[in-house]
């Protein structure tokens, strides 16, 4: 069997990463590769790392071009996916790496994005309780944001096990610059980012907050409240998330550790590290793996969980391919066997 | 007037930074420059950036060598300062960049360092309420740690003004690698740190926690409790601190902003940025400046303060020189007029 | 068929990269993984990126442990390979990533390494004229150095085609820090390397010079003379080589371009980029690919060739696996289908 | 005495660096600060590191605004300086950090820039033989390019002393990204530049080649011919230049070393390092210093000189301020006493 797959948004970082992974996926034939303003160009001039696809030419991102593939990946700006997805056949597997179909709540969507809510699709984070089942056989999948992926992997086992208090979660995350895409803004210039750090979107307005709260609330079975601060780190890839939540009275570090160990025991891509070893984003670079460590700060009554992912792989394209594999009944790790690229 | 100054620990990063600043200080003559295992070597071979001092030869770090100077800077490993300081004349200004004399509480010292408490010296963070007065005329000064410096600048105005709750402060900070010194540990190799981030000392055991709590408690007039997580960022210098605390009921963002604006209105080195502009560690690189921004997350009931300093300058050597200036009645900014080095 | 493979030196960067590639090689079962001082440790604690092998325990590097595998990779310090290789069966494929068996000339070995010459093995750079045939069926292979790999790919087509003068080649190369290995030397600390560049081994004494001259002389059919200067760049991986040689009288840029185009037309891993596109080390990061561009400086009578490889992949472990594939009659790209990891 | 100084192009990297240096210059009062599209903005929002000037507002770059100052710095795009300089009074010291007035040869200008030649001003590299005298009392100064600065410091002593052959100089230089300015081109994004290197402008067409040849020819007293290749390194600041030239027959390393040692013996800012110590760009970061080392490759008959500068300081703004000091009879190091900022 070989599935034909189309990839839109192929000149951007997310689209390029989808292509990187699909290029070695054993069950996949890459069909149309599309872009908007870069249509007509050679892929090799825009994504010089995709050597085996260098001579492919980018087509226009239209429903006509994308239709007729078994799978369509959408790596488009927020707001663009819903429109094009509506024109694709119902039995085509459409995987949206954008935000349009992540939130259940139309109110939250409206508040943070300001446009009409396009509806909610099965959520492509199979390690979150209950989500893998939603993905089996699905024909529409919303890929989680990169910050929510790491935040939910960091805290959901504590909530599923009933060990954490729902109020006053504090999350601070450091992301590589590729999370901001290829847009040529002055603050993203190499001269500006190398050798320094800065925060952005501080104060609750970050669009990933409702998505993190949604996932943690699913795990907790009650509404969870989060303060989330993202920062920009001088690296191209990777997210290091420091997530802290208050323990319910009497909960011990051993209980928390057991809950995490149980939650991820059968997961191929999420690893609670041995005690004493801390997550490093470099250890997952270019891979679909996530690594976690936790500690209880008894003094503060909080658990602190540190989680590292590659924002473009597990945080975007890897999660997308993993979700595709589940939806189509393929081996969940097909095309995702890469180790991290270190050093 | 020219003061003679001796600098010990001159082969390390802190000692090198003290020398960098003193080399252009208008009131200072650099006397003995000392080291331990590197004694006898040419400074230029160990600190190749100190061009005007390149041919100076490192002497041994002994009380004999250091005595006879007006000012002595100690940039020694924890535990080494107390012993040598005890042998220096009482009228010599001794400025300890190490931890030995930072904590008032012998219990806290014992718990986090495990050795006998050497006592507490005036605390070299003049922007913290009440501290500048302690420094005037002092002959013994403890330089704050780099993480406490940024954390205290970030939160003390909120506590001084009575706007923040004393429990459940959460601080996550990202530091450049120079904070770990010149020790050749594998995880500090360039191949390991470039392109990635990792946490360390998670879970309340970090030695800077009691110092941060001490300073915030001074400001609050009551005991403040902190969860602190440091992370290592792929940059040589800089600390970006994200500090959050719960607002007292009814406190507004305008009140908080006013308190910070008032607190730093007359400070030359600490800047609350205009709204909409976020701190970047690069903007203070190599300088004694600190930049802050804040936002109230009404949803979470927390203020989030972002603070950026250079860990070696305002966080160590700059704070030390500033304290020296105050102690001796010099202009507080003497030798510290540098802007940040950007890009 | 599944071949059993042993990897020695597995706690270092070269050994780790061999394991990374072999872990997804379709024809290989990874047998013993060995180290010297780290024997007995869990691989995951030393190479945290090798997730699927994390629980493997490092064995001692001895001939007893290594024997009994179909293939043995040696990633050992210079001088250590020859001794252990001599104890391995003649029909075991032994692939030496170290320098011991690279040089034909015992005199050159003696001059640059100062020890007894261990002899010369087939040279694992199949793209160099005549070398691929030497590798077929070989049971002993010397993996080229990373600098020679990029330098020879950059200049050998010009020499094979008789277009370049043999005297006065000038090569300047910038390497990532992983080329210096995991040794904890002060100048390799992150604080020292981030944000700066420096040269090393200037003046003809670099050990890679005789190996570059050897390969170019093979291509030219006469003795070629090289001035080679390596520099250290603030990146973990990658080599960018700028190689220049004097054109023979009357040679045009079109002729040179044609020669390179012909030389690499059938090579899967070496790419002469379209005119106007320049090599970037990031485009080959983590992959076995090499990218080249050239220009004739008519003014200076020189061709300038720019070549980019990943020093650990095409420059070491990838070249080693590619050579293994050739020796054993496997598909040359087995286990090497990765694209570059960009951004 | 206090001189009033105007700085144009103040929103760019060169203009920002001029302001950084002038802000601590003891003889200078900063007057108008001007920009083009950013006129009307607060300097602190564009150059957040210039803390003491943060509240200054950018004026328009016009001759009216700039006139009436004792000194005017022009940090404008190529081609813009000549026009505005022509409108400034003859007794105003005008220092052009752009290229317009660097080349003596109208033909070379025409060939590389394609526009009309604006004429040649005294060349602001006082360490080049004969140039310091041209600068004394000058009222028009052309600041050298950053690549020429490092290249000329690297090779001119060998030419002045008659030790080097004039043909076949090969120079390869690695520059930080700030050399490309603040223009938001995709290849200058942090995601693209961090962790990798690439060349650009290969093949003799680089605009700095005629300027390097001009300076070396001045030193040699005959026409010198250069092959120059610039590369882009993953750092914000710094140039590492590897310059090689053929020795005249019989010349020894000792002779070359003596020539360099003599040439720079009385220079405050240029340092031939002790044997065995190699230049590092970090050791001059943010400072006006240059460091050099050399070796003779007897095998290749070449001297290889390695030189490190900060492209924005000695390579642009520092050289500009140093030239201003000379022109006005101030201490040559006024405002330039900074050491390098390391680590």
């Amino acid at each position: 069997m070989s599935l034909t797959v189309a990839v839109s948004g192929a000149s951007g970082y997310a689209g390029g990463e989808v292509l990187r992974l699909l290029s070695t996926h054993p069950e996949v034939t890459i069909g149309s590769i599309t872009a908007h303003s870069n249509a007509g160009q050679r892929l090799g001039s825009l994504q010089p790392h995709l050597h085996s696809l260098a001579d492919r030419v980018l087509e226009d991102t239209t429903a006509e071009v994308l239709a007729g593939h078994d799978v369509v990946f959408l790596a488009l700006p927020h707001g663009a996916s819903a429109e094009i997805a509506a024109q694709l056949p119902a039995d085509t597997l459409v995987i949206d790496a954008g935000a349009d179909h992540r939130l259940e709540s139309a109110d939250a969507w409206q508040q943070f994005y300001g446009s009409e809510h396009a509806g909610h699709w099965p959520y492509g984070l199979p390690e979150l309780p209950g989500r893998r089942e939603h993905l089996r056989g699905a024909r529409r999948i919303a890929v989680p944001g990169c910050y929510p992926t790491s935040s939910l992997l960091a805290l959901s086992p504590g909530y599923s096990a009933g060990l954490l208090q729902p109020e006053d979660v504090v999350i601070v995350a450091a992301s590589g610059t590729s999370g901001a895409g290829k847009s040529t803004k002055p603050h993203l210039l190499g001269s500006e980012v190398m050798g320094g750090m800065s925060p952005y979107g501080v104060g609750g307005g970050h669009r990933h907050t409702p998505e993190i709260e949604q996932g943690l609330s699913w795990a907790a079975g009650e509404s969870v409240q989060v303060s989330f601060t993202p920062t920009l780190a001088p690296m191209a890839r990777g997210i290091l998330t420091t997530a802290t939540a208050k323990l319910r009275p009497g909960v011990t570090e051993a209980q928390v550790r057991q809950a995490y160990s149980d939650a991820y025991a059968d997961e191929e891509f999420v690893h609670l590290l041995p005690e004493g070893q801390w997550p490093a984003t470099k250890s997952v670079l270019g891979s679909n793996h996530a690594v976690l460590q936790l500690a209880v700060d008894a003094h503060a009554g909080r658990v602190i969980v540190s989680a590292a992912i590659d924002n473009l792989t597990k945080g975007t394209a890897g999660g997308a391919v993993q979700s595709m594999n589940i939806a189509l009944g393929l081996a969940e790790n097909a095309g995702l066997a890469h180790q991290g690229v270190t050093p």
Side-chain angles (χ1 to χ4, degrees), chain A:
Chain A
M1 176 185 78
S2 185
L3 299 154
T4 59
V5 182
V7 178
S8 65
S11 53
Y13 290 143
E17 185 76 351
V18 170
L19 285 169
R20 183 176 76 85
L21 297 175
L22 292 180
S23 71
T24 58
H25 193 294
E27 315 280 355
V28 150
T29 300
I30 297 175
S32 292
I33 301 174
T34 80
H36 181 61
S37 57
N38 291 306
Q41 291 199 49
R42 196 176 156 269
L43 184 63
S45 70
L46 294 161
Q47 305 277 22
H49 61 300
L50 300 176
H51 303 282
S52 67
L53 300 166
D55 292 326
R56 299 284 293 268
V57 173
L58 292 166
E59 300 175 69
D60 254 321
T61 301
T62 65
E64 290 68 40
V65 168
L66 297 174
H69 295 83
D70 298 310
V71 185
V72 173
F73 284 90
L74 302 176
L76 304 174
H78 299 320
S81 317
E83 188 184 336
I84 209 157
Q87 304 173 56
L88 294 172
D91 62 347
T92 300
L93 173 52
V94 181
I95 300 178
D96 184 5
D100 292 19
H101 304 93
R102 290 175 188 159
L103 294 185
E104 281 183 333
S105 161
D107 285 354
W109 177 268
Q110 176 69 34
Q111 180 187 343
F112 283 87
Y113 291 89
S115 57
E116 199 182 352
H117 187 223
H120 178 250
W121 290 355
Y123 192 72
L125 187 60
E127 295 86 356
L128 198 60
R131 301 302 133 184
R132 188 174 272 109
E133 297 82 76
H134 294 188
L135 297 171
R136 294 194 214 285
R139 285 300 171 266
R140 293 291 186 274
I141 294 172
V143 180
C146 48
Y147 284 122
T149 294
S150 63
S151 297
L152 296 176
L153 293 176
L155 289 179
S156 60
Y159 281 106
S160 297
L163 303 175
L164 305 178
Q165 298 187 35
E167 68 276 5
D168 212 21
V169 173
V170 175
I171 301 175
V172 178
S175 175
T177 53
S178 62
K182 258 190 193 173
S183 59
T184 51
K185 295 174 186 155
H187 76 285
L188 296 176
L189 280 175
S191 300
E192 300 293 318
V193 298
M194 285 187 284
M197 286 193 72
S198 55
Y200 62 97
V202 181
H206 197 280
R207 290 172 165 186
H208 282 148
T209 303
E211 189 183 343
I212 298 170
E213 293 189 337
Q214 168 181 276
L216 294 182
S217 299
W218 288 339
E222 62 182 322
S223 178
V224 175
Q225 185 196 59
V226 173
S227 161
F228 173 66
T229 303
T231 65
L232 195 65
M235 57 193 190
R237 286 173 175 247
I239 291 181
L240 181 73
T241 295
T242 304
T244 87
K246 288 199 276 196
L247 298 171
R248 289 194 187 278
V251 171
T252 65
E253 178 155 341
Q255 285 176 286
V256 179
R257 181 164 288 277
Q258 189 64 47
Y260 277 72
S261 179
D262 292 348
Y264 296 130
D266 296 330
E267 295 294 347
E268 176 169 355
F269 294 119
V270 184
H271 311 275
L272 177 64
L273 294 173
E275 286 191 67
Q277 188 173 351
W278 289 95
T281 63
K282 289 192 70 162
S283 74
V284 296
L285 196 143
S287 85
N288 199 47
H289 292 273
V291 286
L292 281 77
Q293 187 52 283
L294 62 85
V296 162
D297 184 343
H299 172 71
R302 286 184 169 265
V303 64
I304 299 160
V305 187
S306 174
I309 62 168
D310 185 319
N311 58 306
L312 289 178
T313 323
K314 181 60 181 167
T316 306
V321 170
Q322 184 182 358
S323 296
M324 175 191 82
N325 291 341
I326 295 170
L328 299 175
L330 307 175
E332 191 167 326
N333 69 358
L336 297 172
H338 317 70
Q339 313 285 352
V341 178
T342 306

